Amino acid sequence: MSKIAESSAQKGLSGRKAQAARNDGLILEAARAVFLADAGAPIAAVAERAGVGISALYRRYPSKEVLLRTLCHDGLRRYNTEADAALADPDGWSGLVGFLERVVDADVHSLTVHLAGTFSPDESMLPDVTHSGEVTEELVRRAHASGRLRAEVNPQDLGLILESCAAITVPDPTRTAQLRRRTLALLIDGLQADGGLPGPPPQPGEFAWRWQRRQ
């Protein structure tokens, strides 16, 4: 093969890979919008919103379950990225607050609220699930050590706070973001308050039942 032909072949391959990557991004963005609006929507609705053929979608994601799993796994990775960044903050309290704000802004937990039970997690997610538990525990430990976080708060409380913010939604996305941040600010004030909390704290694994596939 001549140098020119070889170069052309490489450019063609690169172009196909770039197009595949663009399609993948479009599919995941469309899937997030479609399934947050209606977790029961057909996968064809994702292809239509993404502007790709259904065959192109199925080549990348052979089933709706695979697509849902990928969406939630991506959200989990984003959560871990923000938690790791928060651990770099030398101040345990500001690290925790910044982490909560960034995760709410990224709307990570809307996927948990809407998609839990719509697919079966697999072993590929386990390392990231384990890491999320470890970094959340460390964030809470450091915030306690700072003297700012009330003693009764545990890592599972953070998950409930994030889900509470994610449950807030109105038709205007900008207003949704404002209301979520406002509510988070109120909840953060509560994380510093004195006095006991009613009832026992949430326990590790208490909400695992939600991830069992609903028939």
Side-chain angles (χ1 to χ4, degrees):
M1 180 183 293
S2 69
K3 293 283 187 181
I4 295 176
E6 184 178 357
S7 176
S8 297
Q10 288 174 345
K11 286 181 179 178
L13 180 61
S14 176
R16 288 194 294 273
K17 287 184 176 179
Q19 183 61 48
R22 285 192 293 272
N23 284 346
D24 195 42
L26 290 171
I27 289 169
L28 289 177
E29 182 180 350
R32 194 178 198 282
V34 167
F35 294 137
L36 285 182
D38 178 10
I43 199 168
V46 176
E48 181 179 359
R49 186 180 181 96
V52 302
I54 192 70
S55 59
L57 190 154
Y58 274 120
R59 279 196 298 272
R60 182 66 182 87
Y61 301 101
S63 69
K64 180 179 177 179
E65 175 148 333
V66 171
L67 184 52
L68 290 171
R69 187 184 301 123
T70 301
L71 279 177
C72 279
H73 200 171
D74 283 353
L76 177 59
R77 292 190 185 103
R78 177 64 183 272
Y79 177 97
N80 287 347
T81 295
E82 298 299 351
D84 289 337
L87 290 177
D89 191 324
D91 184 305
W93 174 251
S94 68
L96 177 64
V97 170
F99 162 74
L100 292 172
E101 291 174 343
R102 291 192 301 274
V103 172
V104 167
D105 288 346
D107 197 18
V108 169
H109 278 66
S110 284
L111 294 170
T112 301
V113 171
H114 288 83
L115 301 184
T118 62
F119 69 96
S120 299
D122 65 11
E123 291 185 359
S124 70
M125 300 178 69
L126 185 57
D128 287 312
V129 170
T130 300
H131 184 67
S132 71
E134 293 172 347
V135 290
T136 305
E137 286 183 4
E138 181 61 12
L139 284 172
V140 170
R141 186 197 67 78
R142 293 172 77 247
H144 278 141
S146 75
R148 301 283 298 277
L149 182 63
R150 65 193 302 165
E152 304 96 329
V153 174
N154 70 11
Q156 287 70 45
D157 283 309
L158 298 191
L160 295 180
I161 286 172
L162 291 169
E163 288 186 31
S164 297
C165 292
I168 299 169
T169 181
V170 295
D172 181 0
T174 299
R175 185 59 178 149
T176 293
Q178 291 173 342
L179 291 171
R180 287 176 177 178
R181 270 300 197 104
R182 178 182 174 86
T183 300
L184 179 61
L186 292 169
L187 294 171
I188 287 172
D189 280 350
L191 290 176
Q192 302 178 85
D194 294 325
L197 293 169
Q203 297 300 308
E206 186 169 354
F207 301 99
W209 60 269
R210 295 184 303 181
W211 294 100
Q212 296 175 5
R213 178 66 183 269
R214 295 192 296 267
Q215 300 301 322

